[in-house]
């Protein structure tokens, strides 16, 4: 049924319930959704309501639930629409069969027993639609000249009529009357008929006869409908029947409500009667509210009287005890004064203790901060001597073909322990970052299975050497996850290192990876068959620097604490379970969904990270590059004498090297000598390495030079700052000298390619070099100065350098670095390019062109032109002049 009909039904129920304020009434509306109504009925049955009034949306779906409620002893009153079962307590509703018959008789009378009728039906399967259609058809069968031309099955809603009826009326334009199963569908039919503008008038009748704007009575009175069949909502009767049942009073099981025709002859009285009933109901509701207000006032006054009586009684008791309290008052006052004095003394002592405690806490905080700052700075400083240890050791191991086995083993021992010290330094620095909140998660989306497998491969050789069964058991081949590779690398590396440290030879280490869709996490576990963790140590496993009662000889007490801290930073958790004597399992849980705290990050260079953290006996040796380009120059800016001398020693076979011990000196030397490459430390006295890089990039004389920064600080934000300043490469100490040399050679090769790019641009048209970058602006200025003086044979390199405000040497090295040629050659190239363009134009002789482009004589011009283009100027002009051969 329509929303208006439901509202009228509920209004009738509320009106009847207004006489019974002690009844609790709960309404659930399914809004014509049968599945939702079924769920609501199940809910009410579970609540074990005292009585259930049910108006089924469709007969079939609720039959079983109606029987269930009835069999459980819950009285069921069916309202309006019947179910297919007889197991119910009572039925209240209109006689839909009689409604259809009444409509049929009225149609026969209205059409004088002749005409074409179209029927708009309610939802198929609902009992009102079925009975109304059946009664209507029974009556029309008695009138052979009245034909039912079509039936439109709708769902009681006007929208369905507006969608389907136009096509039906176009197919049956002879329709004389439309019978709709409710007034809203009848109103929609009127809208369709009006819109189609059919040639003859079509009468429309509906069902419901509700009062109110836009309902049946209003539509009949306005002439929209010819008539409507009154269909009582049954709300009042349903409540009265329900109350009879609950009070165990006699009641009728079948309560059929009468119908009648409402047309223009009786719509006025019906509407007046309805409005009078509404006013009476409003007055009744107002009187009931007044009654409730009076009852509330009465209850309040009664409570006030009770409180007054109690107050009088209390006052009497207080008066009786007041004299006794007066006697005790003096004695109590004396005691209170004594206690107040004691409390005042204690308060002063507490304040003094609190002030002392605050000062102690501040001193402890400052001391802790100072210790952590010293700890961090000390860790940074360790990287410089580690550079000077690992660099020479790597050189000796790589180039030392004459080393004896004992010497090589000693050097490998030095390298392993230096690498272990480097890992400890890195872990201490990570500890400091976590402690002060400086470490952030920079995540990218990737396959966690491949990530863990790649990390496990680093330990494969150790597992084979120690005969350890080493397995990886992922539940799925691909588990996509947002994660920070650098952070998880350290977490899983520490867990695997811990497992190999405590697992005996011949033991088992198993890594499992399992997505948990219920908990929305990924579980990665590392299980070993070691000695397990003693019960006394278990509460302290994740404490910093705790080594346990049975610690390993090479245990620092950092690895597991760092792994747990990094896992929490990654919005995950690290837990363990252990059985002393049988092994331990560490489990990492990571969120499947990307946490909001994660920052976007580019994928980390995995091979470099793995090389730094490989186990001590798995380090791969790299072959040194052959010496080359001894004519290339390099400038080293490093304040540490040992590191500077070490760099000079390693770079001299490949470069002509100069050095500076501070930033200002290095900046001056770079401007004077224009080196091919600069290697600069970040932490320099006076002018920092970042400032040196920024100024070199801003100066056109040095803007082209590849720049490499060396630092002991490896934080991502510090690396970003170096790249933003203009560095081409950012290396952290300790570094591999072979990697540094090869990187410098790669940067020079890239510069050669850039130089070819500039030369190609200039060879086409010198005016196309746009001053978008410092180097391009320099070339544009250089070319403009030369072209402005191109007709002067005396134009020299010194003239050009003076115009640019630089020395001849600086100009030569800059042009050589960018174009691979000298300044004089470049001037000559521009003269010949200009001459070639002039030769393509008519009106100038070869001699005139020679002097216009600055050549001292036509013969010298011809020799130079033929040397570059392999033809003489006259031959070139003849080849490009139309009509000549």
């Amino acid at each position: 049924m329509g929303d208006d009909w439901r509202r009228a039904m509920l209004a009738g129920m509320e009106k009847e319930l207004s006489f019974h304020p002690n009844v609790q009434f709960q309404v659930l509306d399914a809004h014509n959704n049968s599945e939702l109504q079924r769920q609501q009925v199940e809910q009410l049955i579970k609540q074990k309501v005292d009585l259930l009034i049910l108006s089924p949306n469709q007969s079939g779906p609720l039959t079983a639930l109606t029987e269930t409620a009835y069999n459980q002893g819950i009285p069921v009153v069916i309202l309006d629409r019947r179910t297919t079962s007889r197991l119910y307590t009572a039925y209240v509703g209109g006689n839909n069969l009689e409604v259809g018959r009444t409509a049929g008789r009225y149609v026969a009378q209205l059409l004088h027993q002749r005409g074409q009728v179209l029927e708009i039906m309610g939802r198929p399967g609902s009992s009102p639609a079925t009975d109304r259609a059946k009664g209507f058809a029974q009556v029309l069968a008695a009138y052979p000249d009245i034909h039912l031309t079509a039936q439109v099955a709708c769902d009681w809603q006007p929208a369905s009529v507006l969608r389907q009826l136009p096509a039906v009326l176009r197919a049956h334009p002879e329709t004389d009357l439309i019978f709709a199963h409710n007034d809203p569908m009848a109103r929609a039919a009127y809208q369709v008929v009006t819109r189609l503008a059919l040639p003859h008038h079509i009468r429309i009748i509906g069902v419901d006869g509700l009062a109110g704007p836009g309902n049946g009575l209003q539509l009949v009175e306005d002439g929209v409908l010819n008539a409507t069949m009154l269909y009582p909502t049954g709300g009042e009767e349903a409540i009265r029947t329900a109350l009879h049942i609950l009070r165990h009073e006699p009641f009728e099981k079948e309560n059929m409500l009468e119908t009648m025709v409402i047309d223009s002859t009786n719509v006025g009285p019906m509407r007046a009667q309805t409005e009078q009933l509404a006013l009476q109901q409003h007055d009744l509701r107002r009187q009931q509210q007044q009654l409730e207000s009076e009852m509330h006032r009465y209850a309040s006054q009664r409570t006030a009287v009770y409180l007054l009586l109690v107050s009088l009684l209390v006052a009497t008791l207080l008066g009786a005890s007041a004299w006794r309290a007066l006697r005790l008052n003096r004695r109590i006052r004396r005691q209170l004064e004594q206690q107040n004095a004691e409390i005042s003394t204690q308060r002063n002592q507490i304040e003094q203790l609190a002030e002392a405690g605050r000062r102690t806490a501040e001193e402890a905080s400052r001391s802790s901060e100072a210790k952590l700052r010293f700890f961090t700075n000390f860790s940074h400083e360790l990287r410089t001597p580690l550079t000077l240890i690992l660099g020479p050791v790597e050189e000796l191991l790589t180039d030392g073909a004459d080393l004896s086995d004992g010497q090589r083993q000693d050097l490998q021992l030095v390298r392993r322990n230096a690498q272990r010290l480097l890992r400890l330094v890195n872990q201490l620095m990570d500890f400091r970052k976590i402690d002060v909140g400086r470490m952030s998660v920079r995540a990218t989306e990737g396959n966690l299975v491949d990530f863990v497998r790649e990390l496990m491969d680093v330990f494969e050789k150790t597992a084979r050497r120690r005969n350890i069964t080493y397995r990886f058991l992922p539940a799925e081949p691909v588990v996509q996850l947002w994660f920070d590779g650098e952070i998880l690398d350290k977490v899983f590396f520490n867990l695997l290192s811990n497992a190999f440290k405590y697992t005996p030879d011949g033991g088992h280490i198993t890594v499992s990876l399992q997505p948990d869709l219920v908990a929305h996490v990924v579980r990665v576990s590392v299980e070993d068959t070691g000695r397990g963790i003693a019960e006394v140590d278990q509460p302290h496993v994740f404490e910093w620097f705790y080594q346990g009662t049975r610690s390993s000889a090479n245990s620092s007490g950092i690895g597991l604490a760092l792994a747990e801290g990094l896992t929490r930073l990654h919005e995950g958790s690290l837990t363990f379970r252990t059985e002393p004597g049988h092994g331990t399992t560490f489990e990492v849980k990571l969120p499947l969904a990307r946490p909001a705290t994660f920052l976007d990050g580019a994928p980390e260079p995995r091979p470099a990270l793995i090389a730094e953290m490989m186990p001590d006996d798995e380090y791969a040796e790299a072959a040194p590059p052959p010496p080359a380009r001894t004519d290339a120059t390099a400038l080293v800016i490093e304040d540490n004498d040992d590191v500077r001398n070490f760099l000079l020693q390693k770079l001299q076979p490949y470069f002509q090297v100069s050095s500076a011990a501070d930033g200002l000196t290095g900046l001056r030397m770079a401007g004077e000598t224009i080196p091919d490459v600069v290697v600069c430390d970040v932490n320099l006295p006076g002018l920092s390495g970042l400032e040196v890089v920024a100024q070199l990039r801003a100066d056109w004389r040095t803007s082209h030079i590849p720049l490499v920064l060396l630092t002991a600080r490896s934080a991502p934000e510090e690396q970003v700052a170096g790249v933003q300043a203009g560095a081409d490469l950012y290396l952290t100490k300790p570094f591999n000298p072979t990697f540094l040399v090869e990187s410098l050679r790669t940067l020079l090769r890239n510069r050669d390619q850039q130089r070819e790019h500039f030369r190609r641009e200039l060879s086409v048209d010198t005016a196309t070099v746009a001053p978008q970058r410092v180097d391009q602006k320099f070339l544009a200025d250089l070319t403009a100065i030369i072209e402005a003086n191109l007709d002067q044979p005396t134009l020299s390199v010194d003239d050009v350098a003076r115009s640019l405000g630089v020395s001849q040497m600086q100009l030569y090295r800059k042009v050589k670095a960018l174009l691979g040629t000298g300044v004089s050659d470049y001037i000559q190239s521009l003269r010949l390019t200009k001459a070639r363009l002039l030769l393509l134009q008519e009106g100038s002789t070869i001699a005139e062109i020679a002097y216009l482009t600055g050549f001292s004589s036509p013969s010298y011009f011809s020799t130079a032109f033929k040397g570059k283009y392999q033809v003489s100027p006259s031959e070139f002009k003849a080849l490009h002049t139309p009509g000549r051969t």
Side-chain angles (χ1 to χ4, degrees):
M1 293 298 179
D3 294 336
D4 293 332
W5 191 90
R6 284 196 296 271
R7 283 193 289 270
M9 177 183 68
L10 290 175
M13 290 182 173
E14 291 174 351
K15 181 182 74 173
E16 186 64 28
L17 285 169
S18 64
F19 299 105
H20 309 279
N22 59 332
V23 176
Q24 295 182 5
F25 184 53
Q26 181 181 1
V27 179
L28 298 178
D29 191 348
H31 301 286
N32 295 321
N33 187 327
S34 298
E35 175 59 24
L36 177 58
Q37 189 175 44
R38 186 185 63 78
Q39 296 174 5
Q40 291 173 344
V41 172
E42 289 179 345
Q43 177 185 348
L44 292 173
I45 293 175
K46 290 179 180 179
Q47 293 178 4
K48 297 188 181 301
V49 294
D50 296 318
L51 185 138
L52 177 64
I53 300 177
L54 179 63
S55 179
N57 183 50
Q58 289 181 299
S59 302
L62 293 180
T63 298
L65 284 177
T66 304
E67 293 177 347
T68 299
Y70 184 82
N71 290 331
Q72 290 184 10
I74 299 176
V76 179
V77 177
I78 303 297
L79 178 59
D80 182 47
R81 300 173 182 173
R82 293 182 180 273
T83 62
T84 58
S85 172
R86 299 291 295 174
L87 295 180
Y88 56 84
T89 309
Y91 169 79
V92 176
N95 190 335
N96 286 292
L97 191 64
E98 185 57 31
V99 169
R101 290 170 180 166
T102 303
R105 288 192 290 268
Y106 182 77
V107 166
Q109 176 186 349
L110 192 62
L111 295 179
H112 304 293
Q113 302 182 9
R114 178 184 298 276
Q116 306 295 324
V117 178
L118 188 150
E119 183 178 8
I120 301 177
M121 303 174 63
R123 177 179 286 112
S126 64
S127 59
T130 302
D131 291 346
R132 290 176 189 179
K134 181 177 179 181
F136 188 65
Q138 288 176 353
V139 172
L140 292 187
Y143 301 97
D145 293 331
I146 297 178
H147 302 286
L148 186 60
T149 59
Q151 289 180 316
V152 182
C154 297
D155 58 356
W156 303 108
Q157 300 301 319
S160 179
V161 176
L162 295 173
R163 187 171 58 253
Q164 299 184 57
L165 186 58
V168 178
L169 285 178
R170 291 189 186 98
H172 301 282
E174 72 281 1
T175 301
D176 297 307
L177 183 142
I178 297 175
F179 168 48
H181 281 197
N182 69 7
D183 290 339
M185 293 194 297
R187 181 177 63 247
Y190 175 80
Q191 294 173 355
V192 173
V193 170
T194 303
R195 191 181 305 130
L196 293 179
L198 296 175
H200 64 282
H201 176 68
I202 297 179
R203 299 175 177 87
I204 303 174
I205 65 174
V207 177
D208 281 346
L210 298 177
N215 288 327
L217 295 183
Q218 181 69 50
L219 295 174
V220 172
E221 190 171 22
D222 292 345
V224 174
L225 305 183
N226 293 84
T228 179
M229 307 296 113
L230 177 64
Y231 188 72
T233 63
E236 301 96 324
E237 185 61 31
I239 294 299
R240 285 194 290 267
T241 302
L243 292 174
H244 287 316
I245 295 172
L246 291 174
R247 294 169 181 170
H248 305 288
E249 298 174 354
F251 65 92
E252 295 290 337
K253 181 170 184 176
E254 301 294 332
N255 299 272
M256 307 300 293
L257 305 178
E258 298 298 328
T259 185
M260 64 177 292
V261 177
I262 302 174
D263 58 10
S264 58
T265 62
N266 62 352
V267 67
M270 285 292 296
R271 183 173 181 182
Q273 182 182 3
T274 303
E275 292 177 350
Q276 183 63 31
L277 288 174
L279 289 174
Q280 292 176 354
Q281 183 177 356
H282 177 71
D283 291 341
L284 181 62
R285 187 179 298 110
R286 182 171 53 82
Q287 292 173 4
Q288 185 176 2
Q289 292 175 350
Q290 292 177 350
L291 178 61
E292 291 176 352
S293 176
E294 292 296 331
M295 292 295 295
H296 179 71
R297 185 179 297 110
Y298 168 73
S300 299
Q301 292 174 350
R302 183 177 58 184
T303 302
V305 171
Y306 288 158
L307 290 175
L308 181 59
L309 293 175
V310 172
S311 299
L312 290 174
L313 179 60
V314 171
T316 302
L317 294 175
L318 289 176
S321 59
W323 67 273
R324 183 180 179 184
L326 187 61
R327 291 177 56 191
L328 298 175
N329 188 43
R330 293 187 182 91
R331 185 175 61 187
I332 293 175
R333 186 183 300 114
R334 287 193 297 270
Q335 293 175 352
L336 287 177
E337 289 174 353
Q338 182 180 357
Q339 291 176 358
N340 286 337
E342 294 175 356
I343 291 173
S344 179
T345 302
Q346 292 174 358
R347 183 176 64 246
N348 293 334
Q349 293 175 351
I350 292 173
E351 289 177 353
Q352 293 174 359
L353 291 174
E355 179 64 22
R358 183 182 62 80
R359 289 196 299 269
T360 302
E362 291 178 354
E363 292 174 358
S365 177
R366 287 194 296 269
S367 175
S368 177
E369 179 64 24
K371 290 178 181 177
L372 288 173
R373 187 164 51 250
F374 167 78
F375 210 26
T376 303
N377 293 335
F378 184 70
S379 299
H380 283 299
E381 290 302 321
L382 285 176
R383 284 179 172 267
T384 297
L386 283 174
T387 300
L388 299 175
I389 295 173
L390 282 173
V393 168
E394 294 298 340
E395 290 289 327
L396 289 172
L397 286 173
T398 303
D399 300 334
D402 298 333
L403 293 175
S404 66
D405 291 342
Q407 291 172 331
R408 183 172 296 276
Q409 289 177 3
D410 290 342
L411 288 173
Q412 289 174 346
L413 178 63
V414 172
R415 181 177 63 185
R416 282 197 302 272
N417 284 275
Q419 290 169 352
R420 180 169 178 266
L421 179 58
L422 175 61
R423 285 197 297 274
L424 290 175
V425 168
N426 292 335
Q427 289 177 346
L428 289 173
M429 293 173 69
D430 288 337
F431 158 64
R432 168 62 174 162
K433 293 175 188 175
I434 295 175
D435 185 70
V436 299
R438 290 286 301 277
M439 181 176 287
S440 58
V441 179
R442 299 185 177 274
T444 56
E445 188 176 17
N447 183 4
L448 188 63
V449 176
D450 290 344
F451 179 84
V452 174
R453 180 180 286 111
E454 180 182 354
L455 185 58
M456 289 182 61
D457 290 343
V458 177
F459 295 85
E460 188 65 40
K461 187 175 179 181
T462 301
R464 289 196 302 269
R465 178 173 55 81
R466 296 177 53 191
N467 195 28
I468 292 176
T469 302
Y470 187 39
R471 297 185 301 166
F472 181 37
L473 304 177
E476 299 179 8
V478 176
V479 177
Q480 289 295 117
L481 196 72
W482 283 89
F483 62 91
D484 186 322
E486 183 176 353
I487 290 178
L488 293 191
D489 204 316
K490 296 173 182 177
V491 171
F492 294 131
F493 179 87
N494 276 297
L495 294 181
L496 288 171
S497 297
N498 189 74
F500 275 93
K501 185 186 302 180
Y502 293 106
T503 299
D505 293 352
H508 294 75
I509 296 177
T510 303
V511 179
S512 303
L513 192 151
Q514 173 69 53
D516 188 342
L517 300 181
V518 177
H520 303 290
V521 296
V522 176
R523 303 175 186 271
V524 183
S525 62
V526 179
E527 180 181 0
D528 63 58
T529 56
R531 66 191 184 189
I533 302 173
E535 185 174 353
V536 68
D537 295 329
Q538 293 178 17
H540 311 287
V541 165
F542 296 131
E543 293 180 4
W544 287 98
F545 310 114
Y546 183 77
Q547 296 182 325
T549 56
R550 299 184 298 171
S551 61
S552 173
N554 59 351
S555 174
S556 63
I558 297 177
L560 290 179
L562 178 64
E564 196 272 338
L566 292 174
T567 304
R568 282 190 290 104
L569 181 68
H570 210 282
E571 301 292 342
S573 63
L574 174 60
T575 58
F576 71 92
R577 56 184 181 275
T578 183
E579 185 177 354
H582 294 83
T584 303
T585 300
F586 286 89
E587 183 178 75
V588 176
K589 295 180 185 176
L590 300 173
L592 277 172
R594 175 181 178 173
T597 56
F598 283 13
L599 303 177
D600 290 330
E604 294 295 332
R606 295 282 301 130
L609 181 61
I610 291 296
E612 181 181 330
M613 300 186 64
M614 286 170 63
D616 298 335
D617 58 351
E618 301 296 329
Y619 194 86
E621 298 181 358
R629 287 198 58 155
T630 56
D631 59 328
T633 59
L635 172 62
V636 175
I637 308 174
E638 168 64 62
D639 62 322
N640 185 283
D641 295 339
D642 291 334
V643 176
R644 186 171 63 254
N645 293 331
F646 174 71
L647 287 170
L648 292 175
Q649 175 190 353
K650 298 305 175 186
L651 296 181
Q652 280 175 347
Y654 311 96
F655 300 93
Q656 297 178 17
V657 188
S658 58
S659 64
D662 60 81
L664 287 173
T665 304
L667 188 64
R668 177 179 55 79
M669 293 180 63
E672 293 174 352
T673 62
I674 316 296
D676 291 304
V677 67
V678 174
V679 180
C680 182
D681 189 24
V682 172
N683 297 319
L684 293 173
L687 202 65
S688 72
L690 296 179
E691 294 171 322
V692 170
V693 169
Q695 294 191 31
L696 289 176
R697 281 287 179 252
D699 190 337
W700 65 264
R701 298 175 302 170
T702 56
S703 59
H704 66 283
I705 301 175
L707 303 173
V708 177
L709 279 177
L710 301 178
T711 181
R713 301 179 182 273
S714 59
E717 58 270 17
E718 293 167 339
Q719 297 181 23
V720 170
V723 175
Q724 289 176 341
D728 296 281
L729 185 63
Y730 192 97
L731 293 180
T732 58
K733 300 176 183 177
F735 55 85
N736 189 312
T738 301
F739 178 75
L740 172 62
V741 171
E742 191 60 33
S743 297
L744 294 177
R745 296 173 66 183
T746 300
L747 289 174
L748 291 177
R749 284 196 297 270
N750 293 340
R751 194 188 67 178
D752 291 341
Q753 295 174 0
Q754 183 186 39
R755 180 169 59 208
E756 290 301 318
H757 169 72
F758 282 128
R759 293 182 63 180
R760 284 195 299 272
E761 281 190 329
L762 293 171
S763 66
V764 177
D765 187 352
T766 57
T768 62
V769 182
Q772 297 176 356
R773 295 174 51 191
V774 176
D775 293 338
Q776 290 177 327
K777 185 178 185 305
F778 164 74
L779 289 176
D781 294 342
L782 173 66
T783 304
I785 291 172
I786 296 174
E787 289 183 339
N789 300 278
L790 204 60
D791 58 346
Q792 300 180 17
T794 59
L795 178 65
S796 65
V797 176
D798 185 58
D799 295 331
V800 176
R802 192 180 307 110
S803 299
L804 289 171
V806 297
S807 68
Q808 290 189 43
M809 177 58 68
Q810 291 173 332
L811 177 61
Y812 170 77
R813 294 190 65 83
K814 181 72 177 183
V815 173
K816 187 72 173 177
L818 288 180
L819 301 177
T821 185
V823 182
S824 298
D825 293 338
Y826 184 55
I827 296 174
Q828 182 83 323
S829 176
L830 289 180
R831 293 183 190 276
L832 293 173
T833 300
K834 181 69 174 180
R836 186 184 63 177
L837 295 176
L838 293 175
L839 286 171
L840 295 175
Q841 303 174 6
E842 297 182 2
S844 298
T845 65
I846 293 176
E848 291 173 339
I849 293 174
Y851 292 123
L852 284 173
T853 54
F855 286 94
S856 58
S857 66
S859 60
Y860 175 51
F861 167 59
S862 297
T863 301
F865 191 92
K866 188 170 185 179
K868 181 172 183 177
Y869 297 112
Q870 286 76 50
V871 294
S872 67
S874 57
E875 291 172 340
F876 180 84
K877 189 174 183 66
L879 289 172
H880 294 85
T881 301
R884 298 182 60 181
T885 59

